[in-house]
Amino acid sequence: MRYASIGGQAVIEGVMMRFGDEYAVAVRKPDKEIEVKRAPYKSLVSRLHVGQIPILRGMFSFLDSMILGISTLTYSASFYDDEEEEGSEKAQSGDKKEKDQKADSSFGLVMALTVVIAIAIAVFLFMLTPYFISTLFGRLIKSSVLLAVIEGIVRLAVFLLYMIAISRTESMQRVFMYHGAEHKTISCIEHGMELTPENAMKCSRLHKRCGTSFLLFVMLVSIVCFMFIRTDSHAMRIVLRLVLVPVIAGISYEFIRLAGKTDSTASDILSAPGLMLQKYFTTREPDLDMLEVAIASIEAIYDWRGFQKGREGL
């Protein structure tokens, strides 16, 4: 099996796929029609020419994923605004163009602020909170290595509780079904099958290159990295944890990249925990309509038939 250089994510009632410097997002609208948007996206990795530099490419790939992910989530959610709001827009259609122009001009700033806030919340929840909890054991335990292990265990526990919590919400259930549709359609291509909803349904909803696996690697890599932080200053420990977040993301990216490109025993071992998280928390079995949406997203930007014949792209 060959791995395709295409990836994506689930959005509200849809799927976003990205290949090269383009992406496509397909959304099942309230009227049940599929809306497909195709647009260019010049990644930070491409603009900064760091695609061949280990660690750095992972750091900026993570930022790219955050930026494009939040943008396409916002786009997909726009189809499900309240009917009252839509009626109000129709009543004021004469002012719509001017409002759209103003909205476009501020969109970049809003997206940048959203990404910063999202990263800040994630860092506080998964990096700093476990550290603060582990310090409670400082009076009883003097070993910095043991405290780092306790911090790591708390971090994993917080991460798993977070996964459990969001997987139980009704709105996320459908997103996770579309997540499964994203994986199944890519797997269908990579196994050399005709890309149809029926064929994709036969494929696994789990994939080695999933963002869920990446996040788990971040948790595990952070445990090892923080074991080597030796300082008596609490302030310095916090600073180092913040500074090392991009580095940890870069290292985790290299692991997920390696695991996703081979079918070796080592790759299978590396991928197993992430696949388990996907199975129980972040993916669900989609229906045929969801697979149809995922296929529409793929076919907007990717020549899957060409890939199966040994060439990639459009």
Side-chain angles (χ1 to χ4, degrees):
M1 184 181 71
R2 293 189 304 118
Y3 288 95
S5 299
I6 183 172
Q9 74 167 52
V11 295
I12 306 300
E13 293 298 324
V15 174
M16 180 273 289
M17 293 289 184
R18 178 181 166 195
F19 174 68
D21 290 330
E22 282 191 309
Y23 74 92
V25 56
V27 179
R28 179 78 71 179
K29 298 188 295 182
D31 63 6
K32 304 307 178 184
E33 293 295 318
I34 299 176
E35 180 83 11
V36 180
K37 173 187 175 182
R38 175 179 174 178
Y41 179 74
K42 189 71 172 178
S43 67
L44 293 171
V45 173
S46 297
R47 280 185 280 174
L48 299 175
H49 307 290
V50 295
Q52 301 302 316
I53 305 176
I55 311 300
L56 274 181
R57 62 189 173 195
M59 292 164 56
F60 289 105
S61 289
F62 173 69
L63 282 176
D64 280 326
S65 297
M66 291 285 292
I67 294 168
L68 188 55
I70 293 175
S71 174
T72 51
L73 274 170
T74 303
Y75 169 78
S76 65
S78 69
F79 290 98
Y80 289 84
D81 291 337
D82 293 337
E83 292 181 4
E84 197 174 294
E85 184 179 332
E86 292 177 3
S88 176
E89 286 182 0
K90 289 178 181 177
Q92 302 175 8
S93 58
D95 299 327
K96 189 175 188 305
K97 184 175 181 181
E98 182 181 349
K99 288 180 179 179
D100 286 346
Q101 289 174 343
K102 290 180 180 179
D104 289 341
S105 63
S106 62
F107 185 72
L109 179 60
V110 172
M111 286 307 305
L113 183 60
T114 303
V115 170
V116 170
I117 292 173
I119 292 175
I121 292 173
V123 168
F124 178 79
L125 182 62
F126 299 120
M127 292 296 171
L128 297 185
T129 299
Y131 169 72
F132 291 135
I133 293 175
S134 70
T135 59
L136 299 177
F137 295 88
R139 295 178 181 178
L140 301 174
I141 300 172
K142 300 304 178 182
S143 170
S144 59
V145 173
L146 185 55
L147 284 173
V149 171
I150 292 173
E151 179 186 349
I153 292 172
V154 173
R155 181 170 294 109
L156 283 174
V158 170
F159 178 65
L160 289 175
L161 288 172
Y162 174 79
M163 289 284 108
I164 292 170
I166 64 172
S167 67
R168 300 282 179 109
T169 61
E170 186 176 345
S171 59
M172 288 304 297
Q173 290 289 334
R174 288 192 64 80
V175 173
F176 290 157
M177 290 172 75
Y178 276 103
H179 191 192
E182 175 217 337
H183 287 181
K184 279 177 173 283
T185 48
I186 292 176
S187 182
C188 182
I189 292 170
E190 293 176 336
H191 283 85
M193 301 165 66
E194 182 81 7
L195 186 57
T196 65
E198 292 75 16
N199 282 342
M201 185 63 80
K202 302 172 188 175
C203 297
S204 174
R205 72 175 195 265
L206 314 180
H207 202 285
K208 290 181 178 180
R209 290 186 286 111
C210 176
T212 304
S213 299
F214 169 78
L215 291 175
L216 181 59
F217 273 119
V218 168
M219 300 299 115
L220 297 175
V221 171
S222 67
I223 295 174
V224 177
C225 287
F226 295 155
M227 280 184 180
F228 293 96
I229 295 178
R230 302 292 179 87
T231 175
D232 293 330
S233 169
H234 285 291
M236 184 58 66
R237 290 177 193 170
I238 293 172
V239 169
L240 288 173
R241 276 160 176 74
L242 294 175
V243 170
L244 284 174
V245 167
V247 178
I248 291 169
I251 295 171
S252 302
Y253 173 84
E254 297 303 322
F255 278 116
I256 200 74
R257 189 170 183 267
L258 176 64
K261 281 196 167 187
T262 65
D263 286 317
S264 65
T265 301
S267 169
D268 292 341
I269 293 172
L270 281 174
S271 302
L275 295 176
M276 189 175 298
L277 282 180
Q278 293 174 47
K279 180 178 180 179
Y280 292 108
F281 300 118
T282 64
T283 67
R284 296 288 183 270
E285 286 294 331
D287 57 33
L288 291 174
D289 287 345
M290 293 174 172
L291 291 167
E292 185 182 1
V293 173
I295 289 171
S297 181
I298 288 178
E299 292 190 327
I301 59 167
Y302 192 72
D303 178 13
W304 58 269
R305 293 182 179 86
F307 165 76
Q308 291 178 347
K309 292 177 182 178
R311 61 181 189 275
E312 239 183 7
L314 281 180

